[in-house]
Amino acid sequence: MSTDAPDMNEAQDDDAPIQEARVWQGNGFTARVIKNEEDEGWAVAMIKDGEPEPALVGPWTMGRDKKNPKPLDVNAFNTLVKTANEVLRRHEQQLHAQLHKSIFVSTDDGQIKVNLDIVPDEDDPYATLTAFDGYNEQLAQVRVAPTFKLSVASATSWIENGYRRP
């Protein structure tokens, strides 16, 4: 048997997630225990795989010696992953709410839903204003400035002006 062939177990170990006292990887995240520069304590940063910035940074518990950080373990890591995912989900929900607004306007022809969808392009940001009837059929759509303020008054005015660009 030749000893020149690479050991398959050795290659697998290279790809294994790190699970050490101050760095723990798994479930799409890396937890790093870092020195808190603002005081004498420690912090933990949760970094989502592929992202440059932490999704969550929070205080970390001191160890028994009151000098070094408590080591990471599977239970603490799983709790941190759950918390980081909740922070990311709330951030996505907040961003969606900022970029997509919807109101209803009562007209003689029935209720009309008006959506404002903002596209935050770095070079050419814009928004679309779209009207839908009670059957969710699109009545009109126009491109507007990303700073357009959607309100019952602005939507009513747009409808009354024949859906012309405000």
Side-chain angles (χ1 to χ4, degrees):
M1 190 142 106
S2 171
T3 57
D4 295 335
D7 183 1
M8 293 306 286
N9 289 336
E10 196 173 297
Q12 288 176 346
D13 288 346
D14 290 345
D15 294 337
I18 299 170
Q19 295 183 335
E20 300 173 353
R22 293 192 187 177
V23 179
W24 199 283
Q25 292 177 324
N27 299 332
F29 282 92
T30 299
R32 282 192 193 287
V33 176
I34 54 177
K35 183 76 174 128
N36 186 345
E37 300 300 328
E38 296 178 14
D39 65 20
E40 296 179 18
W42 293 88
V44 64
M46 289 297 292
I47 304 164
K48 187 169 176 72
D49 290 353
E51 294 294 323
E53 297 292 323
L56 172 72
V57 177
W60 189 244
T61 308
M62 295 287 253
R64 291 182 184 195
D65 65 2
K66 302 296 182 208
K67 182 177 178 184
N68 293 306
K70 177 182 159 190
L72 286 163
D73 61 33
V74 68
N75 292 330
F77 180 75
N78 287 338
T79 300
L80 289 165
V81 167
K82 182 179 176 187
T83 304
N85 275 323
E86 288 172 3
V87 167
L88 290 173
R89 189 171 35 258
R90 276 190 235 117
H91 177 73
E92 289 168 359
Q93 289 170 341
Q94 180 184 12
L95 183 60
H96 180 80
Q98 288 174 342
L99 299 177
H100 305 284
K101 300 186 185 312
S102 184
I103 61 166
F104 290 89
V105 176
S106 294
T107 69
D108 292 339
D109 296 327
Q111 201 169 50
I112 296 178
K113 181 170 103 174
V114 178
N115 290 348
L116 176 68
D117 296 300
I118 300 170
V119 179
D121 187 278
E122 285 185 27
D123 298 326
D124 185 26
Y126 67 93
T128 56
L129 198 57
T130 311
F132 298 93
D133 67 12
Y135 300 104
N136 211 28
E137 295 289 325
Q138 184 174 315
L139 299 172
Q141 185 175 61
V142 296
R143 188 170 168 154
V144 295
T147 55
F148 182 85
K149 300 292 183 205
L150 181 61
S151 66
V152 172
S154 66
T156 302
S157 175
W158 179 52
I159 294 165
E160 289 173 351
N161 288 318
Y163 301 104
R164 286 191 297 274
R165 186 181 307 239

Coordinates of all heavy atoms in Angstrom, one line a residue, residues 34-43 60 62 67 69:
I34 N -14.5 38.4 21.3 CA -13.6 39.5 21.1 C -13.5 40.3 22.3 O -14.4 40.4 23.1 CB -13.9 40.3 19.9 CG1 -15.4 40.9 20.0 CG2 -13.7 39.6 18.6 CD1 -15.8 41.8 18.9
K35 N -12.3 41.0 22.5 CA -12.1 41.9 23.6 C -13.0 43.1 23.4 O -13.0 43.7 22.3 CB -10.6 42.3 23.7 CG -10.3 43.2 24.9 CD -10.2 42.4 26.1 CE -9.7 43.3 27.3 NZ -10.6 43.2 28.4
N36 N -13.7 43.5 24.4 CA -14.6 44.7 24.3 C -13.7 45.9 24.6 O -13.2 46.1 25.7 CB -15.7 44.7 25.3 CG -16.7 45.8 25.2 OD1 -16.4 46.8 24.5 ND2 -17.8 45.6 25.8
E37 N -13.4 46.7 23.5 CA -12.5 47.8 23.6 C -13.0 48.9 24.6 O -12.2 49.7 25.1 CB -12.2 48.4 22.3 CG -11.5 47.4 21.3 CD -10.2 46.8 21.8 OE1 -9.5 47.6 22.5 OE2 -9.9 45.7 21.5
E38 N -14.3 49.0 24.8 CA -14.9 50.1 25.6 C -14.8 49.9 27.1 O -14.9 50.8 27.8 CB -16.3 50.3 25.1 CG -16.5 50.8 23.7 CD -17.9 50.9 23.3 OE1 -18.8 51.0 24.1 OE2 -18.1 51.1 22.0
D39 N -14.6 48.6 27.5 CA -14.4 48.4 28.9 C -13.5 47.1 29.1 O -12.9 46.7 28.1 CB -15.8 48.2 29.6 CG -16.6 47.0 29.2 OD1 -16.0 46.0 28.6 OD2 -17.8 46.9 29.4
E40 N -13.5 46.6 30.2 CA -12.6 45.4 30.5 C -13.3 44.1 30.2 O -12.7 43.0 30.4 CB -12.2 45.5 31.9 CG -11.4 46.7 32.2 CD -10.9 46.7 33.7 OE1 -11.0 45.7 34.4 OE2 -10.6 47.8 34.1
G41 N -14.5 44.1 29.6 CA -15.2 42.8 29.4 C -14.9 42.3 28.0 O -14.0 42.6 27.3
W42 N -15.8 41.3 27.6 CA -15.7 40.6 26.4 C -17.0 40.8 25.6 O -18.0 41.0 26.2 CB -15.4 39.1 26.6 CG -14.0 39.0 27.2 CD1 -13.7 39.0 28.5 CD2 -12.8 38.8 26.5 NE1 -12.3 38.8 28.7 CE2 -11.8 38.6 27.4 CE3 -12.5 38.6 25.1 CZ2 -10.4 38.4 27.1 CZ3 -11.1 38.4 24.8 CH2 -10.1 38.3 25.8
A43 N -16.9 40.6 24.3 CA -18.1 40.6 23.5 C -18.1 39.4 22.5 O -17.0 38.8 22.3 CB -18.2 41.9 22.6
W60 N -20.4 39.4 26.3 CA -20.1 38.0 26.5 C -19.6 37.8 28.0 O -19.0 38.7 28.5 CB -19.0 37.5 25.6 CG -18.8 36.0 25.7 CD1 -17.7 35.3 26.1 CD2 -19.8 35.0 25.3 NE1 -18.0 33.9 26.0 CE2 -19.3 33.7 25.6 CE3 -21.2 35.0 24.9 CZ2 -20.0 32.5 25.4 CZ3 -21.8 33.9 24.7 CH2 -21.2 32.6 24.9
M62 N -17.9 36.7 31.4 CA -16.5 36.4 31.9 C -16.4 35.0 32.4 O -17.4 34.5 32.9 CB -16.1 37.4 33.0 CG -16.1 38.8 32.6 SD -14.6 39.1 31.6 CE -13.7 40.0 32.8
K67 N -11.2 37.1 34.4 CA -10.2 37.8 33.5 C -10.4 37.4 32.0 O -10.4 38.3 31.2 CB -8.8 37.5 34.0 CG -7.7 38.1 33.2 CD -6.4 37.8 33.8 CE -5.3 38.4 33.0 NZ -4.0 38.0 33.4
P69 N -12.6 35.3 28.9 CA -14.1 35.0 28.6 C -14.4 33.6 28.8 O -13.6 32.7 28.8 CB -14.1 35.3 27.1 CG -12.7 35.0 26.6 CD -11.8 35.4 27.7

